[in-house]
Amino acid sequence: MSADLRLTVLGSATPYPRPGNPCSGYLISAGETRLWTDAGSGTLGELRRHVRLDELDGVWISHLHADHAADLLTAYYGLLYADIERAAPLPLFGPPGIADRLAHFLTNTSRRSPVESAFAVHELHDGHRASVGELELTSRAVEHGMPAFALRAEAGGRSLVYSGDCAPCDGLAALVPGADALLCEADGPEPSPAHHTPEQAGDGAAGAGRLIVTHVGPFLAPGDAVERAAGRFDGPVEHAEPGATFVL
């Protein structure tokens, strides 16, 4: 695998999967390092086109809405009860309480499901930093009406910022300057306390080399989202089409 920093779109639909487009999920790669970034409904199958669960170096989850995290549940079964063998649990970076949330859903008896046997859980906080293989990860708390985080992933002098789901806020803005690309949700046509409009995504990309809009909601066509964002950002603007790979 090339040492380039790469973003592969596993899915970008919201709030539920569409034919040919799972919910939010991405594969960030650098050299031999592979990070599953958000695990929305339907993304695990698409992930397996590129990498097995035993080849992943980590998982990073922005927040615990199902369209960003639901496939962790099926990944749990794959890691523990299928054809996957790992030398150690898969590192999982996510919001506070993520292990208990998974265990609550997966537990079917009086005995708590062994979530930690599948995942080595690391709870995020504002300013959290971690090294995963060749990737350096910085997480910042963002505004989404619940614990939620944005991510800056860096490798080989290149950088990608991912908004997760959020309204414009200082946490996201702190990550963007100098980034080669901003992957930013553009959920709807009107301002919201929990999401970006395309225009806000365009404004928020100032200081980045390019903008990739994702998580375009059901009341806004992707092409319209790109056009509206491009009216507020001077650099290239693209849509996170499922299956697309961006080399940074």
Side-chain angles (χ1 to χ4, degrees):
M1 180 180 290
S2 168
D4 292 327
L5 182 62
R6 294 172 177 259
L7 167 71
T8 298
V9 181
L10 307 175
S12 58
T14 184
Y16 62 109
R18 303 173 192 172
N21 190 6
C23 288
S24 292
Y26 312 92
L27 178 63
I28 299 176
S29 306
E32 296 300 318
T33 301
R34 284 153 295 195
L35 180 75
W36 186 11
T37 305
D38 274 350
S41 306
T43 59
L44 178 55
E46 294 305 309
L47 177 76
R48 293 182 64 196
R49 296 183 186 274
H50 306 278
V51 60
R52 290 167 52 99
L53 285 172
D54 54 348
E55 296 171 330
L56 277 175
D57 296 281
V59 186
W60 186 94
I61 301 295
S62 63
H63 65 290
L64 294 179
H65 280 151
D67 61 336
H68 290 255
D71 269 18
L72 289 177
L73 301 173
T74 44
Y76 164 87
Y77 288 107
L79 288 164
L80 293 188
Y81 305 118
D83 55 343
I84 301 299
E85 294 185 9
R86 293 186 60 95
L90 177 60
L92 170 62
F93 301 89
I98 188 171
D100 287 341
R101 283 284 296 274
L102 292 173
H104 181 76
F105 188 94
L106 293 163
T107 296
N108 298 302
T109 69
S110 59
R111 179 176 177 270
R112 183 182 185 276
S113 289
V115 171
E116 289 82 3
S117 296
F119 299 107
V121 178
H122 305 269
E123 292 191 345
L124 297 175
H125 57 76
D126 189 36
H128 182 279
R129 294 180 181 271
S131 297
V132 178
E134 298 183 45
L135 291 169
E136 296 296 325
L137 309 179
T138 303
S139 302
R140 291 296 306 267
V142 293
E143 297 294 332
H144 192 50
M146 65 185 299
F149 296 86
L151 172 69
R152 181 170 175 134
E154 299 177 279
R158 298 292 181 179
S159 56
L160 167 71
V161 173
Y162 170 46
S163 68
D165 279 6
C166 67
C169 57
D170 291 342
L172 176 60
L175 297 177
V176 172
D180 291 285
L182 169 63
L183 174 67
C184 188
E185 57 114 348
D187 185 80
E190 301 297 332
S192 158
H195 291 288
H196 282 71
T197 65
E199 288 82 3
Q200 289 170 331
D203 290 341
R210 68 202 287 192
L211 171 62
I212 304 165
V213 295
T214 190
H215 197 276
V216 176
F219 304 108
L220 185 64
D224 291 338
V226 168
E227 183 177 356
R228 289 171 59 163
R232 304 283 276 269
F233 178 63
D234 292 336
V237 181
E238 299 158 275
H239 176 244
E241 292 289 338
T245 294
F246 299 89
V247 180
L248 306 181

